[in-house]
């Protein structure tokens, strides 16, 4: 099970996509479906704005808060926002008849809920007050801030989602049903709740999903990132992550039913390779992805590098002749590239159909490095060979996924990319300077995973005015 499916689940249950309109759609009226007021609450949310950002966005010294305040102020729920009313509660219901469409979720203000729904909403929020307080205490909360708290009625989500028509959103979430009745990745959760703080100190969020049965290990890996000391801090965007820890035999069982597996196995075998032992079993367990948007090199491409930690580098080296044969069968051309390092061989892989573009590849100790540009792979090799000894980053080492974006460079690199030969004649509308990035320090997002809990964290600290 891929981690992005969990993200999608959270996206759905926290009602990120519903329309804020209160009137039912014409389609709903025609279908004469069960009224929203009679459905169980699947998510309860409270919003408190002690900062008056929504009421008076023009007074904020931070540009992104002014933009956010104006956007929120236009929404129907905040039309009655006033000096005396800066708090509201919302309830979300699921309308399974519209699974797979924007009408699937409906967000309803507290005053429009039925009495039963109000009690459900209140009970959900009250039962998680300790969790909300604990999560809010993990970051610096401003005395004046927008505080958003949400809690999910997991049982209601399970009962509704597991009854989806198979041709609707079910196939988007996971095509592997359990006896046609349950979705494994939803079935393991027992609780889910989150907090979000927006203030002049920054934007900070936390989300937790718990499993009392300890079954989360069946859908996501709980391995931790172990290579933070090798991270290059220069690139604009960094993604560090662990990969599936499933045995090659388990992966093969799932692949056997795919129509192209047999063809691929035969092609690999003709090159003297075993698909399971030499391909699947050698897949990386951890990787570092670097992205620089600024055009680089002869082709003026964005600099994208993928540094992977190999499980058995000596085995890869021994099988290089076989991999070369396999590339030849696929029409992939292997071209040696001049290297700045005498002990490091670099090759360029390109397909004969798109020879002008290729991927630069090399092996260095326990790492395999791939890059979109020659300059990028040279930089990656140089960093790994000469990187200063530094302590492991505790935050990254406790995570299974870590994202960092350097806001100080983002706007400049984005403009350079838009004006590059790659995009400047593609009819892309002009994007003005995103000056609000100047107010931000680095954006970081990461996850901590155990067999009992998935925790997502977002930090966007602002520069003090």
């Amino acid at each position: 099970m891929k981690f992005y499916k969990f993200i999608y689940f959270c996206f759905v249950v926290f009602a990120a996509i519903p329309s804020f309109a209160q009137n039912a759609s014409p389609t709903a009226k025609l279908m004469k479906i069960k009224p929203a007021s009679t459905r169980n609450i699947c998510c309860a949310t409270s919003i408190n704005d002690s900062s008056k950002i929504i009421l008076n966005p023009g007074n904020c010294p931070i540009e992104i808060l002014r933009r956010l305040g104006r956007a929120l102020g236009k929404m129907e729920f905040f039309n009655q926002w006033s000096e005396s009313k800066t708090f509201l509660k919302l309830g979300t219901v699921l309308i399974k008849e519209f699974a797979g469409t924007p009408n699937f979720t409906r967000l309803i203000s507290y005053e429009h809920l039925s009495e039963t729904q109000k009690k459900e909403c209140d009970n959900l929020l009250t039962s998680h007050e300790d969790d909300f307080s604990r999560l809010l205490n993990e970051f610096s909360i401003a005395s004046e801030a927008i505080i958003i708290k949400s809690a999910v009625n997991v049982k209601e989500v399970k009962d509704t989602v597991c009854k989806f028509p198979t041709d609707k959103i079910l196939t988007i979430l996971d095509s592997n049903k359990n006896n046609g009745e349950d979705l494994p990745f939803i079935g393991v959760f027992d609780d889910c709740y989150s907090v979000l703080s927006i203030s002049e100190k920054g934007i900070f969020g936390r989300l937790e999903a718990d499993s009392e049965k300890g079954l989360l290990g069946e859908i996501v890996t709980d391995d931790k990132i172990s290579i933070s000391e090798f991270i290059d801090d220069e690139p604009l965007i960094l993604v560090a992550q662990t990969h599936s820890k499933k045995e090659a035999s388990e992966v093969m069982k799932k692949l056997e039913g795919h129509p192209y597996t047999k063809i691929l196995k035969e092609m690999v075998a003709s090159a003297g390779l075993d698909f399971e032992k030499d391909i699947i079993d050698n897949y990386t367990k951890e990787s570092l992805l670097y992205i620089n948007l600024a055009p680089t090199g002869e082709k003026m491409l964005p600099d994208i590098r993928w540094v992977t930690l190999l499980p058995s580098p000596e085995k890869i080296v021994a099988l290089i002749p076989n991999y070369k044969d396999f590339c030849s069968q696929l029409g992939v051309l292997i071209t040696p590239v001049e290297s700045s390092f005498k002990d490091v061989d670099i090759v360029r892989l390109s397909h004969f159909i798109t020879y002008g573009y290729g991927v630069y590849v090399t092996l260095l100790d326990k790492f395999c490095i791939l890059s979109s540009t020659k300059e990028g792979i040279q930089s990656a090799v140089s960093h790994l060979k000469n990187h200063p000894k530094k302590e492991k980053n505790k935050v990254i080492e406790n995570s299974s996924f870590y994202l960092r974006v350097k806001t100080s460079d983002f706007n400049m690199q984005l403009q350079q990319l838009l004006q590059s030969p790659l995009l400047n004649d593609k009819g892309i509308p002009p994007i003005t300077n995103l000056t609000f990035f100047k107010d931000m320090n680095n954006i970081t997002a990461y996850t901590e995973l155990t067999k009992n809990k998935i925790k997502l964290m977002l930090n966007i600290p602002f520069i003090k005015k």
Side-chain angles (χ1 to χ4, degrees), residues 37 73 148 181 186-187 213 237 253 341 353 358 394 402-403:
S37 60
I148 303 174
E181 299 176 355
I186 292 178
K213 299 177 182 178
I237 299 172
K253 288 179 181 178
F341 309 94
I353 297 177
K394 292 183 179 179
Y402 180 86
L403 167 70

Side-chain angles (χ1 to χ4, degrees), residues 393-409:
N393 184 307
K394 292 183 179 179
V395 173
I396 299 178
E397 296 279 334
N398 287 328
S399 306
S400 295
F401 173 89
Y402 180 86
L403 167 70
R404 186 224 64 216
V405 179
K406 293 172 65 174
T407 52
S408 59
D409 296 341

Side-chain angles (χ1 to χ4, degrees), residues 276-291:
E276 178 180 332
K277 296 178 181 179
D278 298 331
I279 304 294
I280 303 298
D281 200 36
N282 277 330
Y283 186 67
T284 180
K285 304 302 181 184
E286 295 180 52
S287 68
L288 304 173
L289 175 66
Y290 301 115
I291 300 175

Side-chain angles (χ1 to χ4, degrees), residues 117-235:
Q117 289 174 328
K118 287 180 180 178
K119 290 180 180 179
E120 292 178 4
C121 198
D122 291 338
N123 290 339
L124 259 179
L125 293 171
T126 302
S127 65
H128 287 88
E129 274 305 325
D130 290 342
D131 297 314
F132 295 147
S133 297
R134 174 174 53 82
L135 294 179
L136 288 169
N137 286 334
E138 292 186 5
F139 45 82
S140 178
I141 305 176
S143 57
E144 297 180 349
I146 298 176
I147 302 294
I148 303 174
K149 306 172 184 176
S150 292
V152 176
N153 180 348
V154 177
K155 183 180 183 302
E156 174 64 17
V157 174
K158 289 180 183 178
D159 290 346
T160 303
V161 173
C162 293
K163 297 176 183 178
F164 282 162
T166 55
D167 61 338
K168 296 289 186 180
I169 203 169
L170 177 63
T171 57
I172 300 175
L173 294 174
D174 192 345
S175 59
N176 179 23
K177 293 188 296 178
N178 183 11
N179 297 325
E181 299 176 355
D182 199 10
L183 291 173
F185 85 103
I186 292 178
V188 302
F189 294 125
D190 299 300
D191 211 351
C192 192
Y193 43 89
S194 71
V195 297
L196 182 67
S197 170
I198 304 172
S199 72
E200 292 183 16
K201 287 190 174 183
I203 300 174
F204 304 93
R206 298 290 186 271
L207 182 149
E208 288 187 351
D210 301 333
S211 172
E212 294 179 3
K213 299 177 182 178
L215 298 176
L216 291 178
E218 296 183 5
I219 62 171
V220 290
T221 174
D222 57 359
D223 290 342
K224 304 294 188 293
I225 298 167
S226 67
I227 51 178
S228 66
E229 63 188 293
F230 296 98
I231 286 176
D232 187 351
D233 295 322
E234 176 273 328

Side-chain angles (χ1 to χ4, degrees), residues 292-304 348 356-358 360 372-376 413-426:
N292 278 315
L293 298 179
T296 305
E298 182 182 351
K299 296 293 183 181
M300 297 298 288
L301 297 173
D303 173 19
I304 301 174
R348 180 178 183 268
Y357 296 94
Y360 295 83
S372 61
T373 67
K374 180 180 177 181
E375 292 75 12
Q413 290 203 24
L414 176 62
Q415 297 303 326
Q416 289 176 335
L417 176 62
L418 293 172
Q419 296 167 23
S420 70
L422 184 68
L423 297 180
N424 65 2
D425 60 348
K426 297 298 186 294

